[in-house]
Amino acid sequence: MAPGPTRIGLAGLAVMGQNLALNIAEKGFPISVYNRTTSKVDETVERAKAEGNLPVYGFHDPKSFINSIQKPRVVIMLVKAGAPVDQTINTLSAYMEKGDCIIDGGNEWYENTERREKEMTELSLLYLGMGVSGGEEGARNGPSLMPGGSFDAYKHIEDILLKVAAQVPDSGPCVTYIGKGGSGNFVKMVHNGIEYGDMQLISEAYDVLKSAGKLSNDELRAVFSEWNKGELQSFLIEITADIFGIKDDKREGHLVDKVLDKTGMKGTGKWTVQQAAELSVAAPTIASSLDARFLSGLKEERVEASRIFRSSKFDDNLTEHKVNKEKLINDVRQALFASKICSYAQGMNLIRAKSIEKGWGLKLGELARIWKGGCIIRAIFLDRIKKAYDRNPDLANLLVDPEFAKEIIERQSAWRRVVSLAINSGISTPGMSSSLAYFDTYRRERLPANLVQAQRDYFGAHTYERIDVEGSFHTEWFKIAKQSKI
């Protein structure tokens, strides 16, 4: 039992919940914990003892759990998205009073959060949907936090969040009040979409270096470690270098080579691509990373297809082709960086479009700031994104920020060389290729869309606009074409 009321409660003690509870306690806030399966409660309390006698107090029933928290009570839930969240809310809210607050820290669909916030308001309770990024390590030592919903609820817990979040020396704690409604969940969803793009681009860089450059795992480890000292310095590059260094504990060789090439997913990447389509925002890098995961799942079909197409001469190209390793490594680094700019640009444009649609007033520079630490996409490069939006909060696209434009221009040749080499060698680089196509489409004054409009008007009388005269036009293309054939 706690000596007096605790400062906050946490319900849902899977790994993320346990780690966040211990993090909160370690920062000096006594915390009550509850889980439907009571063994998890005892396990968390044991961990708290072992990790420095932290002020974590366990409860086996919801009533005594809620009653142990000081008023106005604040409870964080970390349970699986969907129905389990509604069940947990019902269980807890039965014992809560006017002005108490529930925070959902899971990866929830933003509209569910908006529905729940309305339902809670009718019960005179406050509600927040809070994205939490950083995995179990981040939850324990400092995640990036994206709370959205009731501003009053945020104020109740701000002192805790500021201490619990990752701390970045020059820019502060990785938390900010995101905005109204489901904005916190939406921002976390797009963060995950950007993460999909990042991981896909890194895997393509690996594939090109390994398949065309013939780099060994030890060489790959050295390359990624080196990259992590420069412009690509980031959590994902750092862990990638680590992965190449890990030997298999069951057999000879490196563990990475024994991992089955089928990617799992929880759904946030799919939601991001669906939202991009809904909002008419191009997000081809993120979409291609989702497609790559779908295709990776077709392992048996791919094995069969590899037999059918084994005789194609491109595979011979790979074995015969001699590349200059140093030059290839340098080119791939530049291609990866340029592709990454496109992926983040797409994510930011998506957040902005939703913010406009919903009237959330989201600050893109501030989002880049809170992603600088704690979260999975944390990277030195986010500081430059923040500065780009500081320079111009209404920036149409990251690509046209003067600094980023210069970076892309400098890397363009290397980027094209890598994509060309991959295409000519039969190595698929959907992420890098679609990033390049996005850039090439965006930078062109005139596109072949005029032909598409002409086709639409020909078969469906959809009308078209002209470049030289105002207004909408329709042409009887079919009749004119028919007459000219007579």
Side-chain angles (χ1 to χ4, degrees):
M1 286 297 295
T6 58
R7 176 69 175 80
I8 187 170
L10 190 143
L13 298 170
V15 181
M16 284 291 284
Q18 283 191 23
N19 282 358
L20 192 61
L22 294 168
N23 180 352
I24 291 169
E26 195 169 62
K27 299 301 187 294
F29 302 101
I31 184 169
S32 302
V33 295
Y34 166 75
N35 196 76
R36 214 171 50 176
T37 312
T38 53
S39 59
K40 290 277 184 202
V41 175
D42 303 337
E43 190 184 304
T44 309
V45 172
E46 283 306 309
R47 273 190 68 190
K49 279 203 190 83
E51 294 182 26
N53 274 329
L54 303 174
V56 173
Y57 304 95
F59 295 87
H60 287 181
D61 71 288
K63 186 176 181 182
S64 53
F65 165 64
I66 294 296
N67 289 336
S68 71
I69 305 162
Q70 74 175 46
K71 298 177 184 180
R73 304 182 185 96
V74 178
V75 178
I76 299 176
M77 298 179 294
L78 275 163
V79 297
K80 216 171 155 196
V85 175
D86 291 308
Q87 286 154 12
T88 307
I89 290 173
N90 289 340
T91 303
L92 302 178
S93 62
Y95 307 104
M96 296 177 92
E97 297 168 18
K98 184 178 176 180
D100 288 353
C101 168
I102 297 180
I103 299 170
D104 176 12
N107 274 335
E108 186 54 275
W109 173 238
Y110 82 98
E111 288 179 329
N112 286 343
T113 296
E114 299 195 331
R115 165 178 63 78
R116 289 173 189 137
E117 192 188 356
K118 284 196 184 75
E119 291 166 1
M120 292 297 101
T121 305
E122 285 163 24
L123 298 172
S124 301
L125 298 176
L126 304 177
Y127 197 78
L128 278 177
M130 181 170 72
V132 179
S133 178
E136 48 194 85
E137 170 72 15
R140 181 66 185 85
N141 299 311
S144 173
L145 301 168
M146 296 155 246
S150 157
F151 185 67
D152 292 342
Y154 174 70
K155 278 299 176 196
H156 280 335
I157 193 182
E158 185 178 41
D159 60 330
I160 299 180
L161 299 185
L162 289 172
K163 284 198 172 154
V164 165
Q167 309 290 319
V168 174
D170 57 344
S171 61
C174 292
V175 61
T176 188
Y177 173 69
I178 301 287
K180 297 194 291 284
S183 59
N185 295 110
F186 191 87
V187 165
K188 171 64 165 65
M189 175 196 80
V190 177
H191 161 288
N192 287 21
I194 293 171
E195 181 186 306
Y196 272 52
D198 254 355
M199 293 167 77
Q200 177 63 26
L201 292 169
I202 291 170
S203 74
E204 291 173 17
Y206 155 62
D207 197 5
V208 171
L209 292 175
K210 184 184 178 196
S211 304
K214 302 286 181 278
L215 271 73
S216 67
N217 286 321
D218 290 334
E219 288 173 309
L220 286 163
R221 184 189 185 182
V223 165
F224 276 83
S225 299
E226 190 56 39
W227 285 356
N228 200 43
K229 294 175 189 161
E231 70 214 354
L232 287 169
Q233 186 195 328
S234 62
F235 173 70
L236 285 169
I237 294 286
E238 181 189 334
I239 68 167
T240 302
D242 288 347
I243 288 167
F244 291 129
I246 301 215
K247 294 283 193 339
D248 186 3
D249 59 348
K250 296 188 171 44
R251 294 193 174 80
E252 280 294 295
H254 288 79
L255 184 56
V256 69
D257 298 322
K258 311 287 166 59
V259 177
L260 179 66
D261 53 325
K262 274 173 83 162
T263 314
M265 64 192 110
K266 294 275 175 67
T268 43
K270 185 193 268 186
W271 288 348
T272 306
V273 174
Q274 286 168 333
Q275 278 296 296
E278 291 265 318
L279 291 158
S280 306
V281 172
T285 310
I286 298 172
S288 69
S289 66
L290 184 67
D291 288 339
R293 291 193 183 197
F294 295 151
L295 282 165
S296 78
L298 306 177
K299 177 68 176 178
E300 293 75 17
E301 290 179 43
R302 290 189 289 112
V303 169
E304 186 54 36
S306 75
R307 287 196 196 103
I308 295 168
F309 297 109
R310 189 160 285 159
S311 59
S312 74
K313 63 181 179 15
F314 292 107
D315 295 340
D316 304 335
N317 281 4
L318 268 179
T319 43
E320 290 164 15
H321 204 55
K322 287 278 181 286
V323 296
N324 176 330
K325 268 192 194 182
E326 285 311 306
K327 192 171 184 311
L328 180 65
I329 290 166
N330 192 33
D331 278 357
V332 172
R333 173 182 57 77
Q334 296 184 67
L336 180 53
F337 189 77
S339 300
K340 196 177 159 86
I341 295 173
C342 292
S343 187
Y344 282 70
Q346 292 159 29
M348 289 303 194
N349 288 353
L350 179 52
I351 290 172
R352 183 179 47 217
K354 194 67 179 183
S355 177
I356 292 166
E357 182 197 76
K358 302 286 287 182
W360 284 337
L362 304 184
K363 297 179 178 67
L364 299 181
E366 187 64 352
L367 300 183
R369 181 189 72 76
I370 67 165
W371 289 343
K372 278 172 60 180
C375 72
I376 303 300
I377 63 172
R378 62 183 181 264
I380 198 164
F381 155 82
L382 280 154
D383 200 41
R384 302 171 64 180
I385 295 181
K386 180 189 180 300
K387 288 183 175 134
Y389 288 114
D390 286 348
R391 280 192 289 275
N392 178 7
D394 301 318
L395 186 65
N397 191 305
L398 274 181
L399 299 181
V400 294
D401 169 72
E403 292 283 313
F404 281 122
K406 186 167 161 284
E407 298 279 358
I408 282 208
I409 290 163
E410 285 168 3
R411 287 164 177 73
Q412 215 186 142
S413 301
W415 194 6
R416 294 183 193 285
R417 280 195 297 273
V418 170
V419 171
S420 303
L421 171 69
I423 289 170
N424 289 327
S425 309
I427 301 168
S428 61
T429 49
M432 286 185 182
S433 306
S434 48
S435 282
L436 183 57
Y438 177 79
F439 169 66
D440 278 337
T441 306
Y442 191 71
R443 71 181 179 81
R444 286 185 65 194
E445 186 183 345
R446 188 160 170 85
L447 291 169
N450 53 318
L451 179 60
V452 176
Q453 277 302 84
Q455 291 168 336
R456 292 178 72 239
D457 190 52
Y458 188 123
F459 66 68
H462 292 293
T463 75
Y464 58 90
E465 292 174 84
R466 294 179 59 103
I467 55 174
D468 51 355
V469 188
E470 287 285 311
S472 286
F473 297 89
H474 168 57
T475 298
E476 302 267 323
W477 305 84
F478 178 69
K479 280 185 184 166
I480 299 167
K482 200 174 172 189
Q483 281 164 359
S484 67
K485 286 174 192 163
I486 293 166

